[in-house]
Amino acid sequence: MSHATGEKYLKNGVLPHMWCSGCGVGVMLGALVRAFEELDYRNSDIVVVTGIGCTGKADDYLTTNALHATHGRALPHATGIKAFNPRLQVVVLMGDGDSVTIGGNHFIHAARRNIDVTAIVVNNFNYGMTGGQVSGTTPGDSLTSTTAWGNPERDIDICALAEVAGANYVARETTFHGWELKEHIKEAMIKRGFSLVEVFSPCPTHFGRNNAMAEPREMLDWLKEKGLPRERYEQLNAEEKRGHFVIGKLVDRDAPDFNTRYEEIRARATKG
Ligand SMILES: Cc1ncc(C[n+]2csc(CCOP(=O)(O)OP(=O)(O)O)c2C)c(N)n1
Ligand code: SF4
């Protein structure tokens, strides 16, 4: 049993954090710093790149290298860092709006390039920081501040998108499953190539309040009940599957990553 606290990756004197009571972003950050400690990474080995939003504020608390980018553009910044210095461990923290709504095109191409970064997406099903607006992952039957009577759009399955775009590693957890979340973050960081860990997460202040789950505990219970390991999910019939989702490791493959292919091509070019 690990007793990692991850404390050495957190700045002194910055707690309590800025997130609302019951928000899942801090749970993700706790799992991330524990993962760093268990992997024995030095602060100077790590670069945490963030986008904009509540999730994007996470780098404020870290003593690692960090880059606070623009909304939807964290992945291109991370791509440049990893391409320039492959020895760095590059982690990208984004909300669902950041990663696959405004940033959807960059997400597809980072996975297609198989750039060796770990993307952690805190999916709270809405734009948290700006007031709970609809995002590309808002489920069709839920309400948001900009779709108060219903959402006519369908939601993106971020894990499926990463898989078809070419990611080497894909996992999904919820903030209820903190231990498993930390383990998947470790696997994702060790895996070479593009890795995604999606974290279904409560935003009680907006998504929860708009969908009859204003109490932090209610949204956590909802995630706990709906998330099922693949074996249990596969036993359900089509009707029972509605509203449930698979948690755990979803993709694990070893296609060559961007830097490996780049070096091969460079060696060929310099020889000839
Ligand atoms: C290009 C651009 N468009 C819009 C905004 C305004 N903005 C800031 S945060 C945010 C929503 C963040 O939502 P999400 O990415 O899901 O992260 P969360 O706050 O839920 O963690 C928006 C629209 C911005 N900063 N930049
Ligand atoms: S608005 Fe939502 S996502 Fe942002 S800190 Fe509050 S609970 Fe978390």
Side-chain angles (χ1 to χ4, degrees), residues 115-134:
I115 188 79
D116 182 23
V117 304
T118 295
I120 302 179
V121 175
V122 174
N123 183 359
N124 54 26
F125 316 107
N126 68 178
Y127 281 11
M129 178 169 267
T130 41
Q133 295 88 348
V134 70

Side-chain angles (χ1 to χ4, degrees), residues 6 43 52 58 66 69 97 102 109 119 125-126 135 187 191 194 208 222 233 244 259 261 266:
N43 292 43
I52 304 293
I102 185 170
H109 291 287
F125 316 107
N126 68 178
S135 100
E187 286 182 354
K191 170 64 74 175
F194 186 82
W222 176 67
Y233 181 82
H244 285 280
N259 284 87
R261 286 179 51 79
R266 195 157 72 114

Side-chain angles (χ1 to χ4, degrees), residues 19-20 23 54 124 128 203-206:
W19 297 296
C20 308
C23 177
C54 298
N124 54 26
C203 171
T205 302
H206 298 301

